[in-house]
PDB file of all heavy atoms in Angstrom:
ATOM      1  N   ALA A   1       0.645 -10.293 -21.014  1.00 88.00           N
ATOM      2  CA  ALA A   1       0.921  -9.619 -22.277  1.00 88.00           C
ATOM      3  C   ALA A   1       0.163  -8.302 -22.409  1.00 88.00           C
ATOM      4  O   ALA A   1       0.597  -7.403 -23.128  1.00 88.00           O
ATOM      5  CB  ALA A   1       0.581 -10.532 -23.448  1.00 88.00           C
ATOM      6  N   VAL A   2      -0.959  -8.160 -21.714  1.00 91.00           N
ATOM      7  CA  VAL A   2      -1.776  -6.946 -21.847  1.00 91.00           C
ATOM      8  C   VAL A   2      -1.995  -6.227 -20.525  1.00 91.00           C
ATOM      9  O   VAL A   2      -2.530  -5.117 -20.511  1.00 91.00           O
ATOM     10  CB  VAL A   2      -3.145  -7.267 -22.483  1.00 91.00           C
ATOM     11  CG1 VAL A   2      -2.971  -7.722 -23.926  1.00 91.00           C
ATOM     12  CG2 VAL A   2      -3.907  -8.313 -21.669  1.00 91.00           C
ATOM     13  N   VAL A   3      -1.598  -6.835 -19.411  1.00 92.00           N
ATOM     14  CA  VAL A   3      -1.784  -6.192 -18.106  1.00 92.00           C
ATOM     15  C   VAL A   3      -0.620  -5.246 -17.838  1.00 92.00           C
ATOM     16  O   VAL A   3       0.509  -5.678 -17.616  1.00 92.00           O
ATOM     17  CB  VAL A   3      -1.892  -7.233 -16.974  1.00 92.00           C
ATOM     18  CG1 VAL A   3      -2.004  -6.520 -15.625  1.00 92.00           C
ATOM     19  CG2 VAL A   3      -3.104  -8.134 -17.186  1.00 92.00           C
ATOM     20  N   HIS A   4      -0.897  -3.967 -17.886  1.00 89.00           N
ATOM     21  CA  HIS A   4       0.139  -2.969 -17.605  1.00 89.00           C
ATOM     22  C   HIS A   4       0.352  -2.848 -16.109  1.00 89.00           C
ATOM     23  O   HIS A   4       1.468  -2.907 -15.619  1.00 89.00           O
ATOM     24  CB  HIS A   4      -0.271  -1.616 -18.186  1.00 89.00           C
ATOM     25  CG  HIS A   4       0.711  -0.524 -17.910  1.00 89.00           C
ATOM     26  ND1 HIS A   4       0.707   0.207 -16.743  1.00 89.00           N
ATOM     27  CD2 HIS A   4       1.748  -0.058 -18.649  1.00 89.00           C
ATOM     28  CE1 HIS A   4       1.682   1.092 -16.784  1.00 89.00           C
ATOM     29  NE2 HIS A   4       2.331   0.955 -17.927  1.00 89.00           N
ATOM     30  N   HIS A   5      -0.736  -2.667 -15.369  1.00 90.00           N
ATOM     31  CA  HIS A   5      -0.637  -2.695 -13.907  1.00 90.00           C
ATOM     32  C   HIS A   5      -2.011  -2.957 -13.301  1.00 90.00           C
ATOM     33  O   HIS A   5      -3.044  -2.781 -13.957  1.00 90.00           O
ATOM     34  CB  HIS A   5      -0.022  -1.399 -13.344  1.00 90.00           C
ATOM     35  CG  HIS A   5      -0.966  -0.239 -13.246  1.00 90.00           C
ATOM     36  ND1 HIS A   5      -0.905   0.861 -14.070  1.00 90.00           N
ATOM     37  CD2 HIS A   5      -2.004   0.008 -12.403  1.00 90.00           C
ATOM     38  CE1 HIS A   5      -1.841   1.735 -13.743  1.00 90.00           C
ATOM     39  NE2 HIS A   5      -2.532   1.233 -12.736  1.00 90.00           N
ATOM     40  N   VAL A   6      -1.977  -3.393 -12.062  1.00 94.00           N
ATOM     41  CA  VAL A   6      -3.193  -3.619 -11.274  1.00 94.00           C
ATOM     42  C   VAL A   6      -2.952  -3.060  -9.882  1.00 94.00           C
ATOM     43  O   VAL A   6      -1.886  -3.281  -9.291  1.00 94.00           O
ATOM     44  CB  VAL A   6      -3.535  -5.121 -11.154  1.00 94.00           C
ATOM     45  CG1 VAL A   6      -4.778  -5.323 -10.282  1.00 94.00           C
ATOM     46  CG2 VAL A   6      -3.738  -5.754 -12.524  1.00 94.00           C
ATOM     47  N   ILE A   7      -3.921  -2.321  -9.364  1.00 92.00           N
ATOM     48  CA  ILE A   7      -3.876  -1.903  -7.960  1.00 92.00           C
ATOM     49  C   ILE A   7      -5.139  -2.416  -7.294  1.00 92.00           C
ATOM     50  O   ILE A   7      -6.250  -2.172  -7.771  1.00 92.00           O
ATOM     51  CB  ILE A   7      -3.781  -0.377  -7.802  1.00 92.00           C
ATOM     52  CG1 ILE A   7      -2.510   0.150  -8.482  1.00 92.00           C
ATOM     53  CG2 ILE A   7      -3.772   0.004  -6.323  1.00 92.00           C
ATOM     54  CD1 ILE A   7      -2.350   1.656  -8.389  1.00 92.00           C
ATOM     55  N   ALA A   8      -4.965  -3.143  -6.205  1.00 95.00           N
ATOM     56  CA  ALA A   8      -6.099  -3.675  -5.447  1.00 95.00           C
ATOM     57  C   ALA A   8      -6.301  -2.823  -4.205  1.00 95.00           C
ATOM     58  O   ALA A   8      -5.430  -2.771  -3.336  1.00 95.00           O
ATOM     59  CB  ALA A   8      -5.851  -5.132  -5.066  1.00 95.00           C
ATOM     60  N   PHE A   9      -7.437  -2.143  -4.152  1.00 94.00           N
ATOM     61  CA  PHE A   9      -7.798  -1.320  -3.002  1.00 94.00           C
ATOM     62  C   PHE A   9      -8.779  -2.086  -2.109  1.00 94.00           C
ATOM     63  O   PHE A   9      -9.518  -2.956  -2.587  1.00 94.00           O
ATOM     64  CB  PHE A   9      -8.459  -0.013  -3.445  1.00 94.00           C
ATOM     65  CG  PHE A   9      -7.563   0.914  -4.210  1.00 94.00           C
ATOM     66  CD1 PHE A   9      -7.560   0.907  -5.599  1.00 94.00           C
ATOM     67  CD2 PHE A   9      -6.739   1.809  -3.549  1.00 94.00           C
ATOM     68  CE1 PHE A   9      -6.750   1.774  -6.310  1.00 94.00           C
ATOM     69  CE2 PHE A   9      -5.922   2.671  -4.250  1.00 94.00           C
ATOM     70  CZ  PHE A   9      -5.919   2.666  -5.632  1.00 94.00           C
ATOM     71  N   LEU A  10      -8.809  -1.719  -0.846  1.00 94.00           N
ATOM     72  CA  LEU A  10      -9.813  -2.212   0.086  1.00 94.00           C
ATOM     73  C   LEU A  10     -10.866  -1.121   0.281  1.00 94.00           C
ATOM     74  O   LEU A  10     -10.537   0.031   0.552  1.00 94.00           O
ATOM     75  CB  LEU A  10      -9.178  -2.554   1.439  1.00 94.00           C
ATOM     76  CG  LEU A  10      -8.205  -3.734   1.453  1.00 94.00           C
ATOM     77  CD1 LEU A  10      -7.520  -3.823   2.812  1.00 94.00           C
ATOM     78  CD2 LEU A  10      -8.935  -5.028   1.133  1.00 94.00           C
ATOM     79  N   ARG A  11     -12.133  -1.509   0.126  1.00 93.00           N
ATOM     80  CA  ARG A  11     -13.225  -0.574   0.377  1.00 93.00           C
ATOM     81  C   ARG A  11     -14.052  -1.104   1.542  1.00 93.00           C
ATOM     82  O   ARG A  11     -14.737  -2.122   1.413  1.00 93.00           O
ATOM     83  CB  ARG A  11     -14.109  -0.424  -0.864  1.00 93.00           C
ATOM     84  CG  ARG A  11     -15.181   0.636  -0.698  1.00 93.00           C
ATOM     85  CD  ARG A  11     -16.005   0.808  -1.963  1.00 93.00           C
ATOM     86  NE  ARG A  11     -16.868  -0.355  -2.217  1.00 93.00           N
ATOM     87  CZ  ARG A  11     -17.775  -0.396  -3.186  1.00 93.00           C
ATOM     88  NH1 ARG A  11     -17.918   0.639  -4.005  1.00 93.00           N
ATOM     89  NH2 ARG A  11     -18.526  -1.473  -3.356  1.00 93.00           N
ATOM     90  N   PRO A  12     -13.977  -0.436   2.693  1.00 92.00           N
ATOM     91  CA  PRO A  12     -14.707  -0.945   3.862  1.00 92.00           C
ATOM     92  C   PRO A  12     -16.207  -0.736   3.721  1.00 92.00           C
ATOM     93  O   PRO A  12     -16.660   0.065   2.886  1.00 92.00           O
ATOM     94  CB  PRO A  12     -14.140  -0.098   5.008  1.00 92.00           C
ATOM     95  CG  PRO A  12     -13.710   1.172   4.368  1.00 92.00           C
ATOM     96  CD  PRO A  12     -13.217   0.787   2.996  1.00 92.00           C
ATOM     97  N   PRO A  13     -16.996  -1.439   4.514  1.00 90.00           N
ATOM     98  CA  PRO A  13     -18.451  -1.279   4.446  1.00 90.00           C
ATOM     99  C   PRO A  13     -18.854   0.171   4.694  1.00 90.00           C
ATOM    100  O   PRO A  13     -18.291   0.844   5.562  1.00 90.00           O
ATOM    101  CB  PRO A  13     -18.956  -2.190   5.578  1.00 90.00           C
ATOM    102  CG  PRO A  13     -17.856  -3.140   5.831  1.00 90.00           C
ATOM    103  CD  PRO A  13     -16.587  -2.417   5.538  1.00 90.00           C
ATOM    104  N   GLY A  14     -19.814   0.656   3.910  1.00 87.00           N
ATOM    105  CA  GLY A  14     -20.311   2.017   4.101  1.00 87.00           C
ATOM    106  C   GLY A  14     -19.521   3.078   3.364  1.00 87.00           C
ATOM    107  O   GLY A  14     -19.917   4.255   3.375  1.00 87.00           O
ATOM    108  N   SER A  15     -18.421   2.725   2.735  1.00 88.00           N
ATOM    109  CA  SER A  15     -17.637   3.715   2.004  1.00 88.00           C
ATOM    110  C   SER A  15     -18.424   4.230   0.799  1.00 88.00           C
ATOM    111  O   SER A  15     -19.023   3.447   0.067  1.00 88.00           O
ATOM    112  CB  SER A  15     -16.321   3.107   1.528  1.00 88.00           C
ATOM    113  OG  SER A  15     -15.659   3.992   0.632  1.00 88.00           O
ATOM    114  N   PRO A  16     -18.396   5.548   0.569  1.00 88.00           N
ATOM    115  CA  PRO A  16     -19.098   6.099  -0.598  1.00 88.00           C
ATOM    116  C   PRO A  16     -18.315   5.961  -1.892  1.00 88.00           C
ATOM    117  O   PRO A  16     -18.832   6.260  -2.966  1.00 88.00           O
ATOM    118  CB  PRO A  16     -19.248   7.582  -0.220  1.00 88.00           C
ATOM    119  CG  PRO A  16     -18.048   7.868   0.627  1.00 88.00           C
ATOM    120  CD  PRO A  16     -17.818   6.600   1.426  1.00 88.00           C
ATOM    121  N   TRP A  17     -17.085   5.496  -1.815  1.00 87.00           N
ATOM    122  CA  TRP A  17     -16.219   5.420  -2.998  1.00 87.00           C
ATOM    123  C   TRP A  17     -16.741   4.365  -3.965  1.00 87.00           C
ATOM    124  O   TRP A  17     -17.052   3.243  -3.574  1.00 87.00           O
ATOM    125  CB  TRP A  17     -14.794   5.095  -2.557  1.00 87.00           C
ATOM    126  CG  TRP A  17     -13.789   5.143  -3.668  1.00 87.00           C
ATOM    127  CD1 TRP A  17     -13.633   6.134  -4.580  1.00 87.00           C
ATOM    128  CD2 TRP A  17     -12.814   4.151  -3.965  1.00 87.00           C
ATOM    129  NE1 TRP A  17     -12.606   5.826  -5.446  1.00 87.00           N
ATOM    130  CE2 TRP A  17     -12.077   4.613  -5.088  1.00 87.00           C
ATOM    131  CE3 TRP A  17     -12.466   2.929  -3.397  1.00 87.00           C
ATOM    132  CZ2 TRP A  17     -11.024   3.896  -5.651  1.00 87.00           C
ATOM    133  CZ3 TRP A  17     -11.421   2.209  -3.951  1.00 87.00           C
ATOM    134  CH2 TRP A  17     -10.711   2.691  -5.065  1.00 87.00           C
ATOM    135  N   MET A  18     -16.850   4.702  -5.217  1.00 86.00           N
ATOM    136  CA  MET A  18     -17.321   3.815  -6.284  1.00 86.00           C
ATOM    137  C   MET A  18     -18.719   3.263  -5.971  1.00 86.00           C
ATOM    138  O   MET A  18     -19.037   2.105  -6.259  1.00 86.00           O
ATOM    139  CB  MET A  18     -16.348   2.642  -6.493  1.00 86.00           C
ATOM    140  CG  MET A  18     -14.961   3.052  -6.909  1.00 86.00           C
ATOM    141  SD  MET A  18     -14.909   3.586  -8.625  1.00 86.00           S
ATOM    142  CE  MET A  18     -13.210   4.140  -8.729  1.00 86.00           C
ATOM    143  N   ALA A  19     -19.559   4.120  -5.401  1.00 85.00           N
ATOM    144  CA  ALA A  19     -20.891   3.669  -4.985  1.00 85.00           C
ATOM    145  C   ALA A  19     -21.736   3.216  -6.160  1.00 85.00           C
ATOM    146  O   ALA A  19     -22.653   2.395  -6.010  1.00 85.00           O
ATOM    147  CB  ALA A  19     -21.597   4.786  -4.224  1.00 85.00           C
ATOM    148  N   ASP A  20     -21.449   3.743  -7.364  1.00 86.00           N
ATOM    149  CA  ASP A  20     -22.257   3.394  -8.536  1.00 86.00           C
ATOM    150  C   ASP A  20     -21.801   2.116  -9.226  1.00 86.00           C
ATOM    151  O   ASP A  20     -22.448   1.653 -10.166  1.00 86.00           O
ATOM    152  CB  ASP A  20     -22.215   4.549  -9.549  1.00 86.00           C
ATOM    153  CG  ASP A  20     -22.851   5.823  -9.012  1.00 86.00           C
ATOM    154  OD1 ASP A  20     -23.715   5.705  -8.128  1.00 86.00           O
ATOM    155  OD2 ASP A  20     -22.462   6.920  -9.465  1.00 86.00           O
ATOM    156  N   ALA A  21     -20.674   1.561  -8.791  1.00 89.00           N
ATOM    157  CA  ALA A  21     -20.135   0.368  -9.447  1.00 89.00           C
ATOM    158  C   ALA A  21     -20.898  -0.883  -8.993  1.00 89.00           C
ATOM    159  O   ALA A  21     -21.158  -1.072  -7.801  1.00 89.00           O
ATOM    160  CB  ALA A  21     -18.654   0.223  -9.131  1.00 89.00           C
ATOM    161  N   LYS A  22     -21.230  -1.752  -9.961  1.00 91.00           N
ATOM    162  CA  LYS A  22     -21.880  -3.018  -9.649  1.00 91.00           C
ATOM    163  C   LYS A  22     -20.821  -4.104  -9.491  1.00 91.00           C
ATOM    164  O   LYS A  22     -19.908  -4.203 -10.322  1.00 91.00           O
ATOM    165  CB  LYS A  22     -22.863  -3.398 -10.760  1.00 91.00           C
ATOM    166  CG  LYS A  22     -24.010  -2.419 -10.928  1.00 91.00           C
ATOM    167  CD  LYS A  22     -24.936  -2.869 -12.048  1.00 91.00           C
ATOM    168  CE  LYS A  22     -26.091  -1.891 -12.218  1.00 91.00           C
ATOM    169  NZ  LYS A  22     -26.996  -2.295 -13.333  1.00 91.00           N
ATOM    170  N   PRO A  23     -20.898  -4.918  -8.446  1.00 92.00           N
ATOM    171  CA  PRO A  23     -19.899  -5.979  -8.239  1.00 92.00           C
ATOM    172  C   PRO A  23     -19.740  -6.859  -9.472  1.00 92.00           C
ATOM    173  O   PRO A  23     -20.718  -7.288 -10.087  1.00 92.00           O
ATOM    174  CB  PRO A  23     -20.469  -6.767  -7.056  1.00 92.00           C
ATOM    175  CG  PRO A  23     -21.291  -5.773  -6.308  1.00 92.00           C
ATOM    176  CD  PRO A  23     -21.902  -4.889  -7.369  1.00 92.00           C
ATOM    177  N   GLY A  24     -18.475  -7.093  -9.844  1.00 90.00           N
ATOM    178  CA  GLY A  24     -18.171  -7.990 -10.951  1.00 90.00           C
ATOM    179  C   GLY A  24     -18.288  -7.390 -12.329  1.00 90.00           C
ATOM    180  O   GLY A  24     -17.974  -8.059 -13.326  1.00 90.00           O
ATOM    181  N   VAL A  25     -18.688  -6.127 -12.426  1.00 91.00           N
ATOM    182  CA  VAL A  25     -18.878  -5.485 -13.737  1.00 91.00           C
ATOM    183  C   VAL A  25     -17.849  -4.365 -13.894  1.00 91.00           C
ATOM    184  O   VAL A  25     -17.801  -3.448 -13.075  1.00 91.00           O
ATOM    185  CB  VAL A  25     -20.300  -4.896 -13.868  1.00 91.00           C
ATOM    186  CG1 VAL A  25     -20.472  -4.220 -15.232  1.00 91.00           C
ATOM    187  CG2 VAL A  25     -21.342  -5.986 -13.667  1.00 91.00           C
ATOM    188  N   PRO A  26     -17.006  -4.400 -14.937  1.00 90.00           N
ATOM    189  CA  PRO A  26     -16.019  -3.334 -15.134  1.00 90.00           C
ATOM    190  C   PRO A  26     -16.679  -1.963 -15.193  1.00 90.00           C
ATOM    191  O   PRO A  26     -17.745  -1.787 -15.807  1.00 90.00           O
ATOM    192  CB  PRO A  26     -15.370  -3.696 -16.479  1.00 90.00           C
ATOM    193  CG  PRO A  26     -15.556  -5.176 -16.597  1.00 90.00           C
ATOM    194  CD  PRO A  26     -16.889  -5.452 -15.965  1.00 90.00           C
ATOM    195  N   PHE A  27     -16.050  -0.983 -14.549  1.00 87.00           N
ATOM    196  CA  PHE A  27     -16.646   0.333 -14.351  1.00 87.00           C
ATOM    197  C   PHE A  27     -15.597   1.391 -14.672  1.00 87.00           C
ATOM    198  O   PHE A  27     -14.438   1.282 -14.248  1.00 87.00           O
ATOM    199  CB  PHE A  27     -17.108   0.449 -12.896  1.00 87.00           C
ATOM    200  CG  PHE A  27     -17.739   1.772 -12.535  1.00 87.00           C
ATOM    201  CD1 PHE A  27     -18.977   2.139 -13.043  1.00 87.00           C
ATOM    202  CD2 PHE A  27     -17.092   2.637 -11.662  1.00 87.00           C
ATOM    203  CE1 PHE A  27     -19.559   3.340 -12.688  1.00 87.00           C
ATOM    204  CE2 PHE A  27     -17.673   3.842 -11.292  1.00 87.00           C
ATOM    205  CZ  PHE A  27     -18.913   4.203 -11.811  1.00 87.00           C
ATOM    206  N   ILE A  28     -15.971   2.408 -15.453  1.00 83.00           N
ATOM    207  CA  ILE A  28     -15.067   3.513 -15.765  1.00 83.00           C
ATOM    208  C   ILE A  28     -15.639   4.766 -15.109  1.00 83.00           C
ATOM    209  O   ILE A  28     -16.587   5.378 -15.626  1.00 83.00           O
ATOM    210  CB  ILE A  28     -14.911   3.711 -17.279  1.00 83.00           C
ATOM    211  CG1 ILE A  28     -14.373   2.433 -17.930  1.00 83.00           C
ATOM    212  CG2 ILE A  28     -13.981   4.892 -17.571  1.00 83.00           C
ATOM    213  CD1 ILE A  28     -14.248   2.520 -19.442  1.00 83.00           C
ATOM    214  N   PRO A  29     -15.100   5.165 -13.955  1.00 74.00           N
ATOM    215  CA  PRO A  29     -15.654   6.305 -13.223  1.00 74.00           C
ATOM    216  C   PRO A  29     -15.132   7.629 -13.767  1.00 74.00           C
ATOM    217  O   PRO A  29     -14.184   7.677 -14.557  1.00 74.00           O
ATOM    218  CB  PRO A  29     -15.141   6.066 -11.806  1.00 74.00           C
ATOM    219  CG  PRO A  29     -13.815   5.404 -12.021  1.00 74.00           C
ATOM    220  CD  PRO A  29     -13.985   4.538 -13.248  1.00 74.00           C
ATOM    221  N   GLY A  30     -15.745   8.699 -13.311  1.00 62.00           N
ATOM    222  CA  GLY A  30     -15.220  10.021 -13.602  1.00 62.00           C
ATOM    223  C   GLY A  30     -13.944  10.259 -12.815  1.00 62.00           C
ATOM    224  O   GLY A  30     -13.660   9.576 -11.830  1.00 62.00           O
ATOM    225  N   ARG A  31     -13.163  11.253 -13.228  1.00 54.00           N
ATOM    226  CA  ARG A  31     -11.871  11.518 -12.603  1.00 54.00           C
ATOM    227  C   ARG A  31     -12.005  11.776 -11.102  1.00 54.00           C
ATOM    228  O   ARG A  31     -11.183  11.340 -10.305  1.00 54.00           O
ATOM    229  CB  ARG A  31     -11.195  12.704 -13.287  1.00 54.00           C
ATOM    230  CG  ARG A  31      -9.801  13.011 -12.762  1.00 54.00           C
ATOM    231  CD  ARG A  31      -9.173  14.148 -13.552  1.00 54.00           C
ATOM    232  NE  ARG A  31      -8.931  13.769 -14.931  1.00 54.00           N
ATOM    233  CZ  ARG A  31      -7.802  13.188 -15.341  1.00 54.00           C
ATOM    234  NH1 ARG A  31      -6.840  12.926 -14.479  1.00 54.00           N
ATOM    235  NH2 ARG A  31      -7.643  12.884 -16.614  1.00 54.00           N
ATOM    236  N   GLU A  32     -13.078  12.473 -10.696  1.00 51.00           N
ATOM    237  CA  GLU A  32     -13.225  12.821  -9.276  1.00 51.00           C
ATOM    238  C   GLU A  32     -13.532  11.602  -8.411  1.00 51.00           C
ATOM    239  O   GLU A  32     -13.372  11.641  -7.198  1.00 51.00           O
ATOM    240  CB  GLU A  32     -14.321  13.871  -9.096  1.00 51.00           C
ATOM    241  CG  GLU A  32     -15.737  13.370  -9.349  1.00 51.00           C
ATOM    242  CD  GLU A  32     -16.065  13.245 -10.846  1.00 51.00           C
ATOM    243  OE1 GLU A  32     -15.237  13.669 -11.680  1.00 51.00           O
ATOM    244  OE2 GLU A  32     -17.149  12.712 -11.162  1.00 51.00           O
ATOM    245  N   GLN A  33     -13.974  10.507  -9.032  1.00 55.00           N
ATOM    246  CA  GLN A  33     -14.314   9.309  -8.260  1.00 55.00           C
ATOM    247  C   GLN A  33     -13.157   8.323  -8.153  1.00 55.00           C
ATOM    248  O   GLN A  33     -13.246   7.342  -7.431  1.00 55.00           O
ATOM    249  CB  GLN A  33     -15.484   8.574  -8.927  1.00 55.00           C
ATOM    250  CG  GLN A  33     -16.765   9.371  -9.045  1.00 55.00           C
ATOM    251  CD  GLN A  33     -17.829   8.541  -9.711  1.00 55.00           C
ATOM    252  OE1 GLN A  33     -18.222   7.490  -9.212  1.00 55.00           O
ATOM    253  NE2 GLN A  33     -18.304   8.986 -10.865  1.00 55.00           N
TER     254      GLN A  33
END
């Protein structure tokens, strides 16, 4: 009823993408991230 869409990405070990995100905690990054 509230899920518009979900995209599941794979982040390999060592990737700098979303480096500030803590596992299991919802994170709202800046546009460049």
Side-chain angles (χ1 to χ4, degrees):
V2 294
V3 177
H4 178 275
H5 80 252
V6 178
I7 300 179
F9 295 95
L10 293 172
R11 185 177 70 173
S15 170
W17 186 48
M18 299 286 175
D20 296 334
K22 297 180 180 179
V25 179
F27 179 69
I28 301 177
R31 183 177 294 271
E32 70 282 353
Q33 300 180 61

